[in-house]
Amino acid sequence: MIYWQHLTRQANEAQSRAAFVDAHELNQKALACAKATFPSDFDNDAESAVSAVIVSYLNLAEVSVSMKEWSQADGYFSQGVSFLEQVINAPNLPSDDRTLIDRTASHIRFEWDLFKQTYGSKVEAGKRLGNFALATSAMG
Protein backbone atom coordinates (compact mmCIF):
# COMPACT_ATOMS: atom_id res chain seq x y z
CA MET A 1 0.00 0.00 0.00
CA ILE A 2 2.91 2.36 0.69
CA TYR A 3 4.24 1.98 -2.86
CA TRP A 4 0.73 2.65 -4.23
CA GLN A 5 0.55 5.83 -2.14
CA HIS A 6 3.97 6.93 -3.40
CA LEU A 7 3.00 6.36 -7.05
CA THR A 8 -0.34 8.11 -6.59
CA ARG A 9 1.32 11.11 -4.97
CA GLN A 10 3.81 11.33 -7.87
CA ALA A 11 0.96 11.02 -10.40
CA ASN A 12 -0.97 13.83 -8.69
CA GLU A 13 2.12 16.04 -8.74
CA ALA A 14 2.64 15.30 -12.45
CA GLN A 15 -0.99 16.12 -13.19
CA SER A 16 -0.74 19.41 -11.30
CA ARG A 17 2.23 20.30 -13.56
CA ALA A 18 0.15 19.35 -16.63
CA ALA A 19 2.56 16.47 -17.32
CA PHE A 20 -0.37 14.31 -18.34
CA VAL A 21 1.56 11.52 -20.06
CA ASP A 22 3.68 11.06 -16.93
CA ALA A 23 0.60 11.24 -14.72
CA HIS A 24 -1.12 8.59 -16.84
CA GLU A 25 1.89 6.27 -16.69
CA LEU A 26 2.26 6.69 -12.92
CA ASN A 27 -1.47 6.10 -12.37
CA GLN A 28 -1.26 2.92 -14.47
CA LYS A 29 1.61 1.73 -12.30
CA ALA A 30 -0.36 2.59 -9.16
CA LEU A 31 -3.36 0.63 -10.46
CA ALA A 32 -1.19 -2.38 -11.29
CA CYS A 33 0.33 -2.20 -7.81
CA ALA A 34 -3.09 -1.95 -6.10
CA LYS A 35 -4.49 -4.86 -8.11
CA ALA A 36 -1.40 -7.03 -7.55
CA THR A 37 -1.66 -6.74 -3.77
CA PHE A 38 -5.45 -6.59 -3.66
CA PRO A 39 -6.21 -10.09 -2.28
CA SER A 40 -3.92 -9.78 0.74
CA ASP A 41 -4.70 -6.08 1.24
CA PHE A 42 -8.44 -6.85 1.09
CA ASP A 43 -8.06 -9.48 3.82
CA ASN A 44 -6.22 -6.97 6.04
CA ASP A 45 -8.21 -3.80 5.29
CA ALA A 46 -11.00 -4.15 2.74
CA GLU A 47 -11.83 -0.45 2.64
CA SER A 48 -8.26 0.65 1.89
CA ALA A 49 -7.79 -2.09 -0.72
CA VAL A 50 -11.00 -1.23 -2.57
CA SER A 51 -10.28 2.50 -2.32
CA ALA A 52 -6.78 2.11 -3.77
CA VAL A 53 -8.04 0.33 -6.88
CA ILE A 54 -11.01 2.64 -7.43
CA VAL A 55 -9.03 5.82 -6.77
CA SER A 56 -6.54 4.60 -9.38
CA TYR A 57 -9.32 4.08 -11.94
CA LEU A 58 -10.81 7.50 -11.16
CA ASN A 59 -7.37 9.15 -11.41
CA LEU A 60 -6.82 7.47 -14.78
CA ALA A 61 -10.20 8.71 -15.96
CA GLU A 62 -9.38 12.23 -14.77
CA VAL A 63 -6.00 12.37 -16.51
CA SER A 64 -7.61 10.95 -19.66
CA VAL A 65 -10.11 13.81 -19.59
CA SER A 66 -7.20 16.24 -19.21
CA MET A 67 -5.66 14.66 -22.33
CA LYS A 68 -9.04 14.84 -24.13
CA GLU A 69 -9.09 11.05 -24.42
CA TRP A 70 -12.83 10.77 -23.80
CA SER A 71 -13.27 7.12 -24.83
CA GLN A 72 -10.29 6.10 -22.73
CA ALA A 73 -11.75 7.91 -19.70
CA ASP A 74 -15.10 6.18 -20.27
CA GLY A 75 -13.27 2.85 -20.39
CA TYR A 76 -11.64 3.48 -17.00
CA PHE A 77 -15.03 4.10 -15.41
CA SER A 78 -16.31 0.90 -16.99
CA GLN A 79 -13.29 -1.07 -15.79
CA GLY A 80 -13.74 0.26 -12.25
CA VAL A 81 -17.37 -0.86 -12.16
CA SER A 82 -16.42 -4.26 -13.62
CA PHE A 83 -13.73 -4.68 -10.98
CA LEU A 84 -16.24 -4.02 -8.21
CA GLU A 85 -18.72 -6.44 -9.77
CA GLN A 86 -16.07 -9.17 -9.70
CA VAL A 87 -15.24 -8.47 -6.06
CA ILE A 88 -18.86 -8.41 -4.92
CA ASN A 89 -19.48 -11.79 -6.58
CA ALA A 90 -16.73 -13.47 -4.55
CA PRO A 91 -18.05 -16.39 -2.50
CA ASN A 92 -18.42 -15.90 1.25
CA LEU A 93 -18.03 -12.12 1.10
CA PRO A 94 -18.84 -10.69 4.54
CA SER A 95 -21.87 -8.41 4.63
CA ASP A 96 -19.79 -5.41 5.82
CA ASP A 97 -17.54 -5.79 2.79
CA ARG A 98 -20.56 -6.18 0.51
CA THR A 99 -21.97 -2.90 1.89
CA LEU A 100 -18.62 -1.17 1.32
CA ILE A 101 -18.47 -2.37 -2.28
CA ASP A 102 -22.09 -1.37 -2.92
CA ARG A 103 -21.35 2.14 -1.60
CA THR A 104 -18.20 2.40 -3.68
CA ALA A 105 -20.00 1.17 -6.80
CA SER A 106 -22.72 3.78 -6.27
CA HIS A 107 -20.06 6.47 -6.01
CA ILE A 108 -18.20 5.45 -9.16
CA ARG A 109 -21.49 5.15 -11.09
CA PHE A 110 -22.43 8.65 -9.93
CA GLU A 111 -19.05 10.00 -11.11
CA TRP A 112 -19.46 8.10 -14.40
CA ASP A 113 -22.93 9.58 -14.92
CA LEU A 114 -21.53 13.09 -14.37
CA PHE A 115 -18.77 12.31 -16.86
CA LYS A 116 -21.32 11.08 -19.43
CA GLN A 117 -23.48 14.17 -18.95
CA THR A 118 -20.48 16.38 -19.62
CA TYR A 119 -18.55 14.38 -22.23
CA GLY A 120 -21.02 11.80 -23.54
CA SER A 121 -21.31 13.41 -26.97
CA LYS A 122 -17.51 13.43 -27.30
CA VAL A 123 -17.31 9.75 -26.32
CA GLU A 124 -19.93 8.88 -28.94
CA ALA A 125 -18.20 11.00 -31.58
CA GLY A 126 -14.94 9.19 -30.83
CA LYS A 127 -16.66 5.81 -31.16
CA ARG A 128 -18.18 6.82 -34.52
CA LEU A 129 -14.81 8.05 -35.73
CA GLY A 130 -13.16 4.82 -34.55
CA ASN A 131 -15.79 2.70 -36.30
CA PHE A 132 -15.33 4.77 -39.48
CA ALA A 133 -11.56 4.26 -39.34
CA LEU A 134 -12.02 0.49 -38.87
CA ALA A 135 -14.43 0.30 -41.79
CA THR A 136 -12.13 2.36 -43.99
CA SER A 137 -9.08 0.24 -43.17
CA ALA A 138 -11.06 -2.97 -43.83
CA MET A 139 -11.98 -1.66 -47.29
CA GLY A 140 -8.39 -0.81 -48.19
Side-chain angles (χ1 to χ4, degrees):
M1 192 65 70
I2 291 172
Y3 187 54
W4 173 85
Q5 291 170 336
H6 173 72
L7 289 168
T8 301
R9 201 170 10 264
Q10 285 185 317
N12 290 341
E13 289 170 5
Q15 178 138 356
S16 70
R17 294 190 318 272
F20 301 126
V21 173
D22 292 341
H24 189 264
E25 182 180 313
L26 288 161
N27 279 313
Q28 284 183 315
K29 287 179 181 179
L31 175 62
C33 175
K35 288 178 81 173
T37 61
F38 183 80
S40 61
D41 289 347
F42 188 81
D43 290 340
N44 294 328
D45 183 355
E47 187 170 0
S48 293
V50 169
S51 293
V53 172
I54 296 307
V55 164
S56 294
Y57 277 121
L58 291 174
N59 286 348
L60 281 162
E62 183 179 341
V63 77
S64 295
V65 167
S66 296
M67 294 171 24
K68 297 183 173 145
E69 296 287 344
W70 320 116
S71 293
Q72 185 176 40
D74 189 60
Y76 287 126
F77 283 108
S78 177
Q79 290 172 44
V81 169
S82 294
F83 174 81
L84 292 173
E85 288 170 351
Q86 290 173 356
V87 173
I88 205 163
N89 288 323
N92 305 321
L93 187 68
S95 64
D96 287 351
D97 293 343
R98 186 172 302 282
T99 301
L100 163 72
I101 294 164
D102 279 337
R103 256 192 354 257
T104 305
S106 292
H107 175 77
I108 197 170
R109 284 186 185 108
F110 175 77
E111 293 291 333
W112 195 8
D113 285 343
L114 289 176
F115 167 80
K116 286 190 234 181
Q117 288 173 16
T118 305
Y119 302 107
S121 62
K122 294 179 182 193
V123 171
E124 289 305 313
K127 287 179 183 176
R128 285 191 300 275
L129 184 60
N131 290 338
F132 176 75
L134 283 174
T136 304
S137 68
M139 292 171 47

